[in-house]
Amino acid sequence: MPKIYRVIVIGMGKRGLHHATFFKANPRFDLIGISSRDAMRLQNALSKLGNVPSSGDARSLALSARPDIFCFCTPPAVRFDMLKLGIECGAKLIAFEKPGALTSAELFAMRDLIRTAGVKGVVSHQHRYGVHYRKVKEIIASGMLGHVHTAYGTATGWMTHMLSHLIDYTCWFNNYAPATWVMAQAAGRTKFTDSHPSPDYIGGFVQFSNGVRGIYECGAGAPDQPEVAKWWGKNRMGAQGTEGFAEVLTNGGWRAVTKSGGYQSGEGAMNYDLDMPPYIQEMADWLDDNAKVHPCNFDHTCMGAEIMLALQRSAAEGGQVGLPLTAGADEQAMLRARVPDRPVFVSSEQNRKEFGLG
Ligand SMILES: NC(=O)c1ccc[n+]([C@@H]2O[C@H](COP(=O)([O-])OP(=O)(O)OC[C@H]3O[C@@H](n4cnc5c(N)ncnc54)[C@H](O)[C@@H]3O)[C@@H](O)[C@H]2O)c1
């Protein structure tokens, strides 16, 4: 009989409910508790999940339940204390949401906690399970693009929502080669007060150690993808080589041109119902067998988060920023202090609306 892992999920917003639902649906897990500070959300979750123990107090739930998996799905500003609670309650695996952390100071403190405790960390960059993402990875890995020299990602959604997705999937395309330096610019201040605090637009370059150049743009100034209707799905990630390119659109399938294959394309759209089950299953696989490391492991997230935070430091301070970062800092404060107080130029009228710019 395979072991059944006991899980609690904290935070019953959109993503907490997704996680709880898919843990509950998988026989390898026993959902032994859910928690939300917000009584309405907890009630709503219980009406969908049925009979699951629940509490408004995450701490008492975690310490009494002592789960194998501690999962928290909270806003980006709520990370370190949740991670600490996950470790304190004895969980073997802690699953949480992107972005990894808002600042490098917090990221490094989290990394220290995870390493010292020897727990497994998994972060929800689950778009990668989409058939269109996997197809692009397969084409790049097949060598059909010749010598790959460039990886790129753009999203019109703002930085703290979208940039970690762009970086994680393109790092996957690039076999997680480490980055050695970055350089970036940022503009616009309207989203600094959002729950996902961000400059309205950030764009930058990344040098990877294998010679691949990364190019990223996120926010109001990033190019529209007119072929994609859903605004949050206007994300384009891909790679170019000497013999072609392959790219995925989050809500618009995939396409490639290669020397031997000509033009090819296919369907695919980000879908929680399809992406969450394998993401959840691979947590059991990793707990069963240390060799089956989850592809969304915390080390991968850390690598992407360092790139993302170094881009922010460069945007705030100017010039190139070397990686790995040697000390933690508060990149949010750095950006707030330095991003000019001038409105961002938008790339489309829809972006103007989404950024509340009239
Ligand atoms: N991976 C993805 O595809 C994806 C998609 C959307 C959102 N997200 C991420 O998921 C996270 C949560 O987003 P969401 O859309 O579920 O948000 P949400 O606002 O719907 O839910 C957040 C939950 O956290 C709870 N919460 C807030 N502060 C708390 C605190 N201090 N302690 C305990 N609980 C607290 C809220 O009560 C709520 O239940 C964010 O980091 C977001 O970026 C990821």
Side-chain angles (χ1 to χ4, degrees):
M1 273 289 283
K3 184 166 165 39
I4 292 173
Y5 296 107
R6 301 158 72 250
V7 188
I8 66 170
V9 181
I10 313 296
M12 279 296 125
K14 171 176 139 176
R15 292 294 292 152
L17 187 52
H18 286 164
H19 278 78
T21 302
F22 290 101
F23 277 122
K24 191 158 192 285
N26 185 318
R28 292 300 315 278
F29 303 96
D30 185 8
L31 182 65
I32 56 165
I34 59 170
S35 174
S36 176
R37 303 187 311 175
D38 178 334
M40 292 266 286
R41 287 185 198 245
L42 198 54
Q43 219 34 61
N44 173 55
L46 287 170
S47 74
K48 299 197 161 104
L49 294 167
N51 192 19
V52 178
S54 67
S55 167
D57 179 354
R59 186 171 178 77
S60 64
L61 176 70
L63 295 178
S64 61
R66 306 204 71 79
D68 299 307
I69 298 180
F70 178 90
C71 173
F72 63 95
C73 300
T74 50
V78 185
R79 293 285 183 270
F80 185 77
D81 287 346
M82 281 290 162
L83 184 64
K84 237 169 65 183
L85 176 58
I87 289 169
E88 198 182 334
C89 75
K92 302 183 194 76
L93 186 149
I94 301 180
F96 56 103
E97 266 296 350
K98 45 60 57 176
L102 282 178
T103 70
S104 54
E106 185 171 41
L107 180 76
F108 294 161
M110 291 168 69
R111 190 172 67 187
D112 289 348
L113 269 185
I114 285 182
R115 285 186 181 164
T116 307
V119 295
K120 297 176 161 106
V122 174
V123 179
S124 193
H125 289 115
Q126 84 291 349
H127 296 189
R128 64 186 287 147
Y129 293 97
V131 60
H132 48 330
Y133 284 77
R134 286 187 280 125
K135 182 67 185 178
V136 167
K137 170 66 182 171
E138 181 192 310
I139 293 171
I140 296 167
S142 75
M144 283 171 77
L145 303 186
H147 170 67
V148 173
H149 48 67
T150 306
Y152 53 89
T154 84
T156 50
W158 50 99
M159 178 187 83
T160 301
H161 272 295
M162 296 313 301
L163 188 54
S164 81
H165 283 299
L166 301 183
I167 293 175
D168 188 69
Y169 310 133
T170 47
C171 283
W172 173 42
F173 296 161
N174 194 29
N175 300 315
Y176 290 99
T180 55
W181 56 260
V182 312
M183 192 169 78
Q185 284 275 327
R189 304 180 61 90
T190 66
K191 292 298 180 194
F192 278 139
T193 50
D194 189 73
S195 66
H196 288 65
S198 311
D200 295 338
Y201 178 40
I202 186 164
F205 303 108
V206 178
Q207 176 70 28
F208 290 101
S209 60
N210 61 354
V212 169
R213 169 54 39 90
I215 306 173
Y216 299 96
E217 284 185 78
C218 217
D224 186 22
Q225 308 299 330
E227 61 274 58
V228 178
K230 185 180 172 187
W231 191 76
W232 286 105
K234 288 175 177 287
N235 318 319
R236 185 164 62 91
M237 290 142 276
Q240 296 172 349
T242 49
E243 296 183 7
F245 79 92
E247 63 184 21
V248 57
L249 292 151
T250 299
N251 281 67
W254 64 274
R255 57 199 175 205
V257 175
T258 64
K259 193 169 163 185
S260 54
Y263 178 76
Q264 305 166 64
S265 64
E267 299 292 311
M270 200 278 277
N271 182 333
Y272 293 115
D273 292 340
L274 299 177
D275 299 344
M276 288 301 287
Y279 170 71
I280 294 285
Q281 173 59 41
E282 288 189 328
M283 292 188 209
D285 298 344
W286 194 15
L287 284 169
D288 289 346
D289 180 350
N290 286 334
K292 292 190 177 157
V293 178
H294 199 293
C296 301
N297 62 78
F298 182 71
D299 285 345
H300 283 169
T301 292
C302 257
M303 178 181 274
E306 270 201 71
I307 294 171
M308 178 164 160
L309 291 157
L311 287 164
Q312 293 171 58
R313 278 194 203 187
S314 171
E317 294 188 325
Q320 291 164 295
V321 173
L323 286 160
L325 298 174
T326 50
D330 182 346
E331 286 78 9
Q332 285 280 323
M334 290 164 82
L335 285 169
R336 281 193 171 90
R338 300 295 283 276
V339 171
D341 190 12
R342 295 194 299 269
V344 67
F345 290 107
V346 298
S347 66
S348 73
E349 282 311 303
Q350 202 178 350
N351 285 6
R352 188 184 306 287
K353 224 175 69 204
E354 297 288 349
F355 283 79
L357 296 167

